[in-house]
Amino acid sequence: MPHQCTNCGRAFDDGSKEMLSGCPDCGGNKFQFRPDGVDSSNPPDPDAEPPEPPEPPGADSTVARTVGKTAATVRDIVGGNGGDDPSVGADHGAGSSTGTTGAEGTSPETDRNEAATRPEVEAQRTDTEDAAQASARADVVTPDELPQEPQTDAESEHRFRPVGADPDPPEEPEETERPDLKELREELNDQFESIKVLEPGQYELNLMELYDREEYIVALQEDGRYSIQVPESFRE
Amino acid sequence: MGLLTNLKDSISRAASTLFSEEDPKRIGIYGPPNAGKTTLANRIARDWTGDAVGPESHVPHETRRARRKENVEIERDGKKVTIDIVDTPGVTTKVDYTEFLEHDMEKDDAVRRSREATEGVAEAMHWLREDVDGVIYVLDSATDPFTQVNTMLIGIIESQDLPVLILANKIDLEESSVQRIRNAYPQHETIPLSALEGDNMDEVYDKIAEYFG
């Protein structure tokens, strides 16, 4: 139940379309992201708010915050070509059955790198995320856990372990074999964020995205959340 | 006589309101931070209504909410043009509170200003999409006009088919180069002015009447 109405406390699945037209119960249009494992029936209480799941440092740190925002779009896109994309389904199955440890030391390093640098891979999964996936998503691989392959660059400490646990075949084949994924990535990169919070007080703005979106941001909060004004046409 | 003139004025104003065929056009004043948008908006508002629009400042992002001045009647050659002017926050792709620290601001204030400025840009971009009928694009002629923001915004404005007037502001500064702006956007007419000093405002008003009347 990653999203919760801040007004009445109703919980929504990640990527739920119900939220887009405001809370069906109370009409509220402010929602907060609540990671798995939190009792979603509690009314919102800022003091009792759980910390966000750990995020990888660096440029990826805003990914989780924006996942909810883009999840619906992602699902539409994935849903559009998901039928002929076997790896997406396989990925989900593998993640839920083996959890976080299955991939250790078995997936090729290139695969690991790719997952770490591709926020949309995370976004895809939020749609059907279960506890194991959530945990996998939140975990950051430590240097000790890395396979024995030579890795000297400092960056490698910050990489994700892939969520998918299928031990043998690479979970993300070469781009040349998956033009649909490339398109998806480009599209997501284009639309991914309208405001990126580097840290409180430091923002990067995607002007085209701000211009293109129908709803608009009315209040930024210090932790990177923001309230949006839902257009009239969405409410009906 | 003063009474009579006043009376005559108010009658003609009422008549022009009664007979005006459409609502006043809403003209957005856009441009990068510190180009002089608020100074211009205040100059226009003071010249034609006697009021100001908002505070001006050398510190970037002084304007963090769009401010509107409605029913500004500009008279040109006996003809009246009524516009609503909307002064918008400076549009930028990056807002960083550390920039404000240089202006003797406490960190908390700088962070808040930065957040509000970001909201302001979001709002300005939203308005550009739905709420303006024309654009006055203000550039600081003492700085390089070839920027990503300027190119993108002018591109958006062109794609919307909105009438746009490019103003080369701050011609009172020594480093000012109007030609540099003309070269950058040759597809549009560029009008030089100093909103601060009030230089060349007559031509600006002529063009406003011509473009947005």
Side-chain angles (χ1 to χ4, degrees):
Chain A
M1 301 293 168
H3 300 284
Q4 186 175 39
C5 175
T6 56
N7 194 27
C8 69
R10 173 169 172 157
F12 299 86
D13 283 325
D14 207 350
S16 165
K17 273 190 176 166
E18 282 172 285
M19 293 191 308
L20 295 178
S21 44
C23 177
D25 286 357
C26 69
N29 61 359
K30 258 187 168 179
F31 303 94
Q32 65 174 334
F33 181 73
R34 295 179 77 94
D36 263 358
V38 174
D39 184 1
S40 55
S41 62
N42 285 342
D45 175 358
D47 296 334
E49 200 175 297
E52 303 240 344
E55 292 163 1
D60 280 345
S61 63
T62 57
V63 166
R65 290 170 176 157
T66 53
V67 160
K69 178 165 71 72
T70 53
T73 321
V74 171
R75 188 181 46 187
D76 289 345
I77 293 165
V78 172
N81 62 17
D84 51 26
D85 184 1
S87 77
V88 173
D91 194 24
H92 290 159
S96 53
S97 59
T98 52
T100 62
T101 55
E104 204 170 304
T106 53
S107 259
E109 183 56 28
T110 51
D111 190 18
R112 194 184 310 281
N113 293 348
E114 199 171 354
T117 53
R118 295 181 49 207
E120 68 270 30
V121 172
E122 300 297 318
Q124 281 182 14
R125 290 174 179 136
T126 58
D127 192 25
T128 55
E129 188 176 80
D130 60 17
Q133 286 173 318
S135 144
R137 184 162 67 90
D139 273 358
V140 178
V141 72
T142 66
D144 294 343
E145 291 173 308
L146 287 172
Q148 299 312 308
E149 302 158 37
Q151 263 191 4
T152 50
D153 55 331
E155 262 183 272
S156 61
E157 292 177 22
H158 302 309
R159 283 171 186 151
F160 271 132
R161 178 187 310 149
V163 174
D166 197 342
D168 215 8
E171 119 189 18
E172 308 291 349
E174 293 303 311
E175 277 182 25
T176 48
E177 299 167 36
R178 299 277 301 275
D180 51 336
L181 259 188
K182 194 178 170 196
E183 268 170 40
L184 175 65
R185 178 187 310 165
E186 277 168 11
E187 189 163 351
L188 278 159
N189 280 343
D190 283 346
Q191 66 178 36
F192 199 65
E193 284 183 284
S194 47
I195 296 178
K196 186 171 189 169
V197 185
L198 303 177
E199 65 173 88
Q202 292 185 321
Y203 305 94
E204 278 181 12
L205 296 93
N206 181 339
L207 298 181
M208 274 319 283
E209 167 69 8
L210 287 169
Y211 168 75
D212 274 339
R213 55 192 306 156
E214 265 189 65
E215 69 280 8
Y216 84 100
I217 290 152
V218 291
L220 275 171
Q221 287 161 42
E222 282 168 29
D223 58 3
R225 298 173 199 182
Y226 45 76
S227 313
I228 59 172
Q229 172 91 50
V230 180
E232 205 60 44
S233 55
F234 278 24
R235 296 199 183 113
E236 317 205 335
Chain B
M1 283 311 275
L3 237 176
L4 259 180
T5 324
N6 279 349
L7 190 64
K8 206 178 120 203
D9 274 353
S10 63
I11 289 174
S12 67
R13 213 173 10 247
S16 76
T17 315
L18 268 178
F19 297 120
S20 71
E21 287 175 6
E22 46 194 79
D23 290 338
K25 292 225 170 64
R26 196 175 290 165
I27 308 304
I29 301 181
Y30 279 83
N34 261 22
K37 294 176 294 301
T38 304
T39 308
L40 173 72
N42 282 342
R43 166 78 53 187
I44 297 175
R46 283 201 192 103
D47 279 357
W48 300 99
T49 71
D51 294 334
V53 172
E56 303 159 18
S57 165
H58 289 296
V59 186
H61 297 295
E62 179 67 27
T63 307
R64 299 187 291 283
R65 282 280 173 222
R67 294 199 189 92
R68 198 187 314 181
K69 184 83 198 165
E70 293 183 324
N71 291 316
V72 178
E73 272 188 10
I74 295 176
E75 204 178 321
R76 290 282 104 177
D77 301 330
K79 226 179 82 183
K80 275 196 175 128
V81 177
T82 307
I83 56 172
D84 294 348
I85 50 179
V86 184
D87 181 30
T88 68
V91 175
T92 179
T93 52
K94 265 193 183 143
V95 183
D96 187 342
Y97 73 93
T98 56
E99 183 189 354
F100 306 133
L101 297 178
E102 296 160 16
H103 294 274
D104 278 341
M105 208 175 280
E106 293 297 319
K107 187 183 171 191
D108 286 353
D109 293 337
V111 168
R112 190 180 331 115
R113 188 184 184 93
S114 171
R115 198 170 69 232
E116 290 170 0
T118 305
E119 291 167 6
V121 175
E123 186 183 41
M125 293 307 292
H126 190 78
W127 278 56
L128 184 55
R129 178 186 158 113
E130 295 184 354
D131 292 322
V132 296
D133 305 310
V135 173
I136 295 175
Y137 201 82
V138 182
L139 288 165
D140 175 351
S141 60
T143 62
D144 184 4
F146 277 110
T147 65
Q148 188 198 356
V149 167
N150 293 337
T151 309
M152 190 187 295
L153 275 183
I154 290 174
I156 288 173
I157 294 161
E158 287 169 354
S159 73
Q160 292 257 74
D161 278 333
L162 291 172
V164 56
L165 193 55
I166 295 191
L167 300 187
N169 194 20
K170 307 198 187 181
I171 54 168
D172 52 311
L173 297 182
E174 224 172 81
E175 318 86 272
S176 158
S177 165
V178 179
Q179 193 54 43
R180 192 164 46 179
I181 295 177
R182 290 205 172 104
N183 293 345
Y185 304 103
Q187 70 274 38
H188 298 289
E189 194 171 7
T190 299
I191 317 297
L193 81 154
S194 166
L196 188 67
E197 304 291 337
D199 297 341
N200 204 33
M201 288 308 292
D202 272 338
E203 189 184 359
V204 170
Y205 293 134
D206 285 344
K207 291 296 174 187
I208 287 177
E210 180 187 328
Y211 276 65
F212 310 122

Coordinates of all heavy atoms in Angstrom, one line a residue, chain B residues 137 150 152 187 213:
Chain B
Y137 N 8.6 39.1 -24.2 CA 9.7 38.3 -23.7 C 10.9 39.3 -23.4 O 11.4 40.0 -24.3 CB 10.2 37.3 -24.8 CG 11.0 36.2 -24.2 CD1 10.4 35.1 -23.5 CD2 12.4 36.2 -24.2 CE1 11.1 34.1 -22.9 CE2 13.1 35.2 -23.6 CZ 12.5 34.2 -22.9 OH 13.2 33.2 -22.3
N150 N 16.0 30.4 -23.0 CA 15.4 31.4 -24.0 C 15.0 30.7 -25.3 O 13.9 30.9 -25.8 CB 16.5 32.5 -24.3 CG 16.7 33.3 -23.1 OD1 15.9 33.4 -22.2 ND2 17.9 34.0 -23.2
M152 N 14.3 27.5 -25.7 CA 13.1 26.6 -25.5 C 11.8 27.4 -25.3 O 10.8 27.1 -25.9 CB 13.4 25.8 -24.2 CG 12.4 24.7 -24.0 SD 12.6 23.8 -22.5 CE 14.2 23.1 -22.7
Q187 N 14.0 36.0 -36.3 CA 12.6 35.8 -36.8 C 11.6 36.8 -36.0 O 10.4 36.8 -36.4 CB 12.2 34.4 -36.6 CG 12.0 33.9 -35.2 CD 13.2 33.4 -34.5 OE1 14.3 33.9 -34.7 NE2 13.1 32.3 -33.7
G213 N -3.2 44.6 -29.7 CA -4.4 45.4 -29.7 C -5.5 44.6 -30.5 O -5.3 43.6 -31.1

